[in-house]
Amino acid sequence: MSEKTLNQVEEFNSYRAKMNEKILGDKNKIINRIFNLDTNAFAPGALDVKTKELLGLVASTVLRCDDCVRYHLESCFKEGITKEQVMETLSIGTLIGGTIVIPHLRRAYEYWEVLEESAAE
């Protein structure tokens, strides 16, 4: 893979962090509470973090949110979820979402490869 492809993870995280800081810095009560809910929803509870991340991944796939898919793919990767588990999760998202999800599946597969490649270096 090219260096440009490997920088996808860094660019995505850098942009996300920069914009989240700006958005949260405005101290909009509703937006801040939504961000807080999101953080707390993916904390360990009755379901473990791995299960919650896989649920987030399938929901993001069905909703066709590439940023969300990337976020959950990276979280899954960090949690030690295997490629096979991710692909099975994405297959469910594709089944539920229908063929319109296939372009998002392609980008998700590519991003997972980038995560694997980045970890190998």
Side-chain angles (χ1 to χ4, degrees), residues 36-92:
N36 189 332
L37 279 172
D38 182 70
T39 299
N40 286 311
F42 287 92
L47 297 174
D48 62 21
V49 173
K50 288 181 178 183
T51 301
K52 289 182 176 188
E53 287 301 336
L54 292 170
L55 289 167
L57 179 58
V58 77
S60 297
T61 303
V62 171
L63 292 171
R64 303 186 307 272
C65 176
D66 284 338
D67 278 7
C68 302
V69 168
R70 284 181 173 193
Y71 175 81
H72 289 293
L73 282 172
E74 192 165 349
S75 295
C76 287
F77 192 81
K78 289 176 181 174
E79 287 295 319
I81 295 171
T82 67
K83 182 178 183 176
E84 292 76 17
Q85 291 169 318
V86 166
M87 296 316 323
E88 193 165 316
T89 301
L90 289 170
S91 71
I92 292 168

Side-chain angles (χ1 to χ4, degrees), residues 95-115:
L95 171 68
I96 304 279
T99 58
I100 196 167
V101 172
I102 291 172
H104 304 276
L105 171 64
R106 289 184 192 116
R107 288 188 288 274
Y109 192 94
E110 176 185 37
Y111 197 72
W112 186 264
E113 286 182 331
V114 170
L115 290 168

